[in-house]
Amino acid sequence: MTNITTNNFFKNIVDGSNEALVFVSPNAEISNEINQYVIVYANKKAESLFANTQESIQNRVIKELPKFLEFGELLNHLNSIIKSKKHEAFNFVQKVGHKNLNMHFKIESHDSGLLISITEAKVYYVVDKESNLPEDDLKARLNELEISNLFSYRVLDSYDSIVSYLRPIFDDNHVISDFRIDYINNRMDDITNEEPEFIIGKTFCEYYPKNLENGVFEILKECFYSGENQDYVKEFFFDEKSYWLSNRAVKMNDGIILFSKDVTREKKNEEQLFIQNRLLLEAEHVANIGSFRWSLGKEEIKYSENVYRMFGFEPKELDSKYDRILTFVHPNDIEKVKNNFHKSRIDKTKTDLVFRIYTKSNDLKYMNTIGECYKKGGNWYMVGVIRDVTKQIEAESKLQSKNAELKRTNSDLEAFNRVASHDLQEPLRKIQMFVSRLNEEEKDTMSLKSQGYLEKVKSSSNRMRNLINNLLSYSKVDEVEEQPKRIDLNDVLISALDDLGERIDDIGAEVASDALPVVNGVQFQLEQLFANLIGNSLKYVKKETRAKIQIKSKIISRNEIPTELLSFGDSYVKLQFIDNGIGFEKKYEEKIFEIFQRLHGKNEFSGTGLGLSICKKIVQSHNGIIQAKGELDKGAEFTIYLPALL
């Protein structure tokens, strides 16, 4: 090879050659890979082909020459020959501007490297036996020969896209009226099940008439007249089935080469993704939340549309840089927000923060941001959601206020209980004690009028004691420490009837009951409930009528319970206490359970007006409800609903 580079005579011959000649030698100090080989010699033709400037490519490494690397498969051939030590020849088509060069490469292995010779390939013609056209059709024969120079059938048929060559058809005014399909590879068969021979020779609009309507024909005309590539995606229908094709039209010689790729699946996925994104946006709008994605190395944050709306803006109206968002944060919360996000960016930790903002219209809102960090492609990102929690914060504030008020009320009630238990009871005991002594010691010396006064004091003090005891019972219903357990209501009824036995016998009352179920509850409270309801019926008996009390029971399903009852299970116990007493007017059905509510004067019927109020509170503490229904002079009915224990 030294003789080649030093012999001027031989060098002049080589430099004057129409072949591009390149000799490459390995650089053992760098690598044994071909892209590390050094160009030892290149003639003038090679210099003009591979050099970007007038600077020589000799002594340059191949990987530093972009034009050399444009022949993509060339490196694979060189690597193969380096290993096999064989010769190889092949063609390679290289696009230069709007012109395609069909280059012929020949590579020979030598002891010290590889000799590469490149020439422009000869025109390739289709031999008679390969032609599908009549031998006497000279014009068609010439057309096919010209097309055969542009395409290699085997290569194009292995291409994953539809490739066709269209030649314009001109009218009398030299305006394109259509295109003739001079070539199409066999990929069209994948869509239409039609062989290329069936399509070649037809006009473009004859084969697919809708090309005149969908704008494709005008796009191809523009490509031919302007010489500029045209890219478009269109929907086509074959056998009533939809196909989306991504197309590129390239002017070549006196026609157009059209590359069409089936992107139907991608288009459907794109439509599905669009639908899912719209659903997500609608869901965010309904839920009053938004989402964001933040590349932690940048200041730009990508927000969903609803984030802008929560800030009072239209989508994309607001600058989405991190510093811009901070301008909406409440002044007292800015440092908290900065510190929180700074820590998340540095430590890559989760952030969960509530802060205040002022919207575009200057409304104050509470926002909750939750973000998670993740790594992708060497970069760190944060994704998360932003929620408008203003209503939640306001509700919690109101709840805290109510809880504080309830706590004060409970404190007042506890104070009342102490007063009722001790401070009121003590003077009342003394009053009753002295009334009793006066009655025993001075009764005979008192006038009848004084004795009447004494009886009234005695009666009033007894009423006062009953009232205090009932108030204490009412206030302590919710303070029971005993845990609910399985309670047989038949045992509860027996205990209540035992307490009321003397009263029942005195008036000759009749009490009948169904077999009662088992519930979850507190024994003594349920006994008090039964005793109060039955005692109420015994109290309000019609004159000259035998009191009859009927207790009914049945298990009902959830859909049979009143709407105001919260659901605590699938089944409920329905208890009915029905009597034939004096009843009451319909207008009192709700008021009858109010504290101190009396429908009759104290001289007509005894009582404090707390019995039914206690019943309601006991039922509510057992997750049930009680209802009253009455009719004057026809009796009353009290209905109780309690969760069943099956």
Side-chain angles (χ1 to χ4, degrees):
M1 188 62 204
T2 302
N3 293 331
I4 294 177
T5 59
T6 57
N7 190 320
N8 291 331
F9 176 77
F10 185 76
K11 183 177 184 300
N12 290 335
I13 294 176
V14 173
D15 280 342
S17 173
N18 287 325
E19 286 185 290
L21 298 174
V22 180
F23 188 85
V24 296
S25 180
N27 188 337
E29 295 180 358
I30 301 177
S31 171
N32 197 34
E33 291 297 324
I34 188 61
N35 61 358
Q36 295 289 353
Y37 271 49
V38 176
I39 297 177
V40 176
Y41 175 79
N43 69 352
K44 289 184 178 180
K45 185 74 173 179
E47 292 278 0
S48 64
L49 185 62
F50 295 116
N52 278 324
T53 63
Q54 294 181 350
E55 182 181 357
S56 174
I57 66 172
Q58 292 190 98
N59 300 318
R60 299 282 298 278
V61 179
I62 284 180
K63 72 171 186 176
E64 297 175 353
L65 302 173
K67 283 192 174 182
F68 199 98
L69 295 175
E70 285 177 358
F71 294 87
E73 293 295 319
L74 177 59
L75 295 179
N76 293 334
H77 288 287
L78 296 176
N79 278 322
S80 174
I81 296 169
I82 283 287
K83 297 175 182 177
S84 66
K85 303 297 183 181
K86 296 180 180 179
H87 297 177
E88 189 170 334
F90 57 93
N91 283 3
F92 193 98
V93 178
Q94 170 69 7
K95 184 174 177 61
V96 179
H98 294 296
K99 186 178 180 181
N100 286 277
L101 297 179
N102 192 357
M103 311 300 292
H104 180 74
F105 283 73
K106 183 178 180 182
I107 307 172
E108 299 177 2
S109 176
H110 292 269
D111 292 339
S112 58
L114 297 174
L115 177 63
I116 307 169
S117 60
I118 307 109
T119 59
E120 188 170 353
K122 294 181 180 179
V123 176
Y124 166 74
Y125 295 95
V126 179
V127 297
D128 289 345
K129 66 179 181 179
E130 296 175 319
S131 175
N132 295 315
L133 298 173
E135 293 184 8
D136 57 347
D137 190 342
L138 179 60
K139 184 177 180 180
R141 184 81 174 123
L142 290 174
N143 286 340
E144 182 174 81
L145 291 175
E146 185 176 356
I147 295 302
S148 69
N149 182 44
L150 299 174
F151 305 107
S152 169
Y153 291 120
R154 289 188 179 90
V155 173
L156 293 178
D157 282 345
S158 65
Y159 195 50
D160 64 351
S161 296
I162 301 167
V163 182
S164 54
Y165 185 76
L166 311 176
R167 194 184 301 275
I169 300 173
F170 297 94
D171 60 16
D172 295 338
N173 298 318
H174 203 67
V175 175
I176 296 176
S177 60
D178 205 340
F179 290 89
R180 186 177 67 249
I181 304 172
D182 279 359
Y183 171 81
I184 190 166
N185 68 352
N186 62 7
R187 288 300 176 191
M188 195 65 183
D189 182 46
D190 298 339
I191 295 177
T192 63
N193 294 320
E194 294 174 346
E195 297 292 336
E197 291 77 8
F198 176 80
I199 303 173
I200 294 174
K202 290 185 177 181
T203 69
F204 191 61
C205 295
E206 173 193 2
Y207 180 68
Y208 195 81
K210 289 185 178 179
N211 283 326
L212 291 170
E213 304 170 9
N214 60 17
V216 172
F217 179 62
E218 295 299 323
I219 293 173
L220 296 181
K221 285 171 60 178
E222 175 65 22
C223 175
F224 185 84
Y225 286 134
S226 68
E228 296 180 358
N229 297 348
Q230 300 291 325
D231 296 302
Y232 61 93
V233 178
K234 293 286 184 180
E235 184 179 21
F236 299 86
F237 292 89
F238 298 99
D239 294 330
E240 299 183 352
K241 188 175 180 181
S242 169
Y243 293 89
W244 286 89
L245 299 180
S246 176
N247 305 273
R248 165 164 282 197
V250 179
K251 185 177 181 181
M252 180 176 290
N253 295 339
D254 60 350
I256 291 175
I257 183 169
L258 184 62
F259 301 91
S260 305
K261 184 175 182 180
D262 185 358
V263 292
T264 306
R265 179 179 297 178
E266 291 87 339
K267 193 70 177 177
K268 289 181 178 179
N269 291 339
E270 181 182 317
E271 291 176 355
Q272 186 65 30
L273 181 61
F274 175 78
I275 293 172
Q276 291 175 350
N277 286 338
R278 293 308 307 172
L279 289 174
L280 178 60
L281 291 175
E282 288 299 321
E284 286 188 356
H285 182 67
V286 172
N288 208 18
I289 64 173
S291 56
F292 68 89
R293 184 175 185 268
W294 184 11
S295 177
L296 297 182
K298 301 178 181 179
E299 294 299 309
E300 194 78 17
I301 304 176
K302 293 183 179 180
Y303 295 105
S304 65
E305 292 183 1
N306 208 45
V307 173
Y308 296 94
R309 294 192 180 98
M310 289 191 297
F311 278 72
F313 293 86
E314 289 301 315
K316 307 301 181 183
E317 180 185 353
L318 174 65
D319 179 8
S320 58
K321 289 187 177 179
Y322 172 64
D323 289 341
R324 180 70 175 98
I325 295 297
L326 290 177
T327 62
F328 294 93
V329 179
H330 191 285
N332 293 342
D333 290 347
I334 287 181
E335 288 305 316
K336 177 174 69 173
V337 172
K338 284 184 176 179
N339 293 337
N340 186 278
F341 278 103
H342 178 72
K343 178 175 174 57
S344 293
R345 293 177 78 174
I346 299 300
D347 300 339
K348 310 301 184 292
T349 54
K350 178 180 179 180
T351 180
D352 188 345
L353 180 66
V354 175
F355 55 93
R356 292 165 291 177
I357 67 161
Y358 285 106
T359 66
K360 183 180 180 181
S361 56
N362 212 34
D363 294 328
L364 180 66
K365 286 187 176 182
Y366 287 84
M367 294 293 179
N368 173 219
T369 298
I370 300 176
E372 293 273 5
C373 296
Y374 71 95
K375 191 175 184 180
K376 183 179 180 181
N379 297 318
W380 278 94
Y381 298 88
M382 177 185 287
V383 293
V385 295
I386 300 177
R387 296 188 301 146
D388 182 351
V389 293
T390 306
K391 291 183 179 179
Q392 179 182 335
I393 295 292
E394 290 176 348
E396 288 177 356
S397 178
K398 289 179 180 178
L399 182 60
Q400 289 176 359
S401 178
K402 291 291 184 183
N403 286 339
E405 183 180 346
L406 181 61
K407 191 174 181 180
R408 289 193 299 270
T409 302
N410 287 337
S411 298
D412 293 341
L413 188 57
E414 289 176 5
F416 167 77
N417 285 340
R418 288 194 298 271
V419 171
S421 300
H422 302 285
D423 299 347
L424 289 180
Q425 294 275 27
E426 183 58 30
L428 184 59
R429 279 195 296 270
K430 288 183 178 179
I431 291 172
Q432 289 181 319
M433 181 184 68
F434 287 119
V435 167
S436 178
R437 287 183 180 179
L438 281 173
N439 190 48
E440 292 175 0
E441 298 175 4
E442 304 294 336
K443 182 178 181 181
D444 294 337
T445 62
M446 283 184 185
S447 64
L448 291 176
K449 191 174 183 180
S450 296
Q451 289 180 15
Y453 291 152
L454 190 61
E455 281 299 321
K456 286 184 179 181
V457 172
K458 183 179 179 181
S459 175
S460 296
S461 62
N462 288 335
R463 267 190 81 243
M464 185 63 149
R465 179 173 290 279
N466 289 334
L467 180 61
I468 291 172
N469 289 335
N470 285 336
L471 279 172
L472 288 172
S473 297
Y474 181 82
S475 66
K476 291 181 178 180
V477 169
D478 296 328
E479 297 180 6
V480 177
E481 295 182 359
E482 183 178 338
Q483 293 298 315
K485 59 183 179 181
R486 289 174 59 92
I487 302 295
D488 188 338
L489 292 181
N490 293 294
D491 295 337
V492 170
L493 177 60
I494 292 172
S495 179
L497 292 178
D498 186 53
D499 290 341
L500 298 169
E502 186 176 344
R503 175 64 176 158
I504 293 172
D505 292 339
D506 287 345
I507 65 173
E510 178 183 333
V511 180
S513 175
D514 296 342
L516 302 178
V518 175
V519 297
N520 199 43
V522 179
Q523 178 84 25
F524 82 89
Q525 285 189 338
L526 293 174
E527 289 176 358
Q528 186 177 10
L529 171 66
F530 273 55
N532 282 5
L533 291 175
I534 297 172
N536 205 63
S537 296
L538 296 176
K539 183 192 300 182
Y540 299 106
V541 179
K542 285 195 298 184
K543 292 181 180 179
E544 300 179 358
T545 301
R546 184 184 181 189
K548 291 185 178 180
I549 303 169
Q550 187 176 11
I551 303 174
K552 293 183 178 181
S553 171
K554 69 175 181 177
I555 304 297
I556 61 174
S557 63
R558 179 189 301 179
N559 57 8
E560 297 178 82
I561 64 175
T563 55
E564 63 266 30
L565 179 60
L566 293 175
S567 177
F568 286 92
D570 295 327
S571 301
Y572 289 81
V573 174
K574 180 180 179 181
L575 300 173
Q576 293 172 283
F577 291 77
I578 306 169
D579 66 43
N580 62 343
I582 63 174
F584 54 86
E585 296 181 42
K586 185 176 179 60
K587 63 182 180 180
Y588 295 118
E589 287 181 354
E590 294 295 332
K591 291 184 178 181
I592 201 170
F593 293 107
E594 293 178 5
I595 191 168
F596 299 128
Q597 181 66 46
R598 290 177 57 88
L599 305 186
H600 308 279
K602 62 182 180 180
N603 294 326
E604 296 180 77
F605 298 95
S606 62
T608 61
L610 281 166
L612 292 178
S613 299
I614 293 173
C615 289
K616 182 177 181 179
K617 202 162 188 181
I618 291 173
V619 171
Q620 288 177 338
S621 71
H622 283 73
N623 300 319
I625 63 170
I626 182 170
Q627 297 174 332
K629 184 171 66 174
E631 191 173 349
L632 212 56
D633 293 329
K634 290 189 177 180
E637 177 181 331
F638 292 89
T639 304
I640 299 170
Y641 297 90
L642 295 173
L645 185 63
L646 301 178

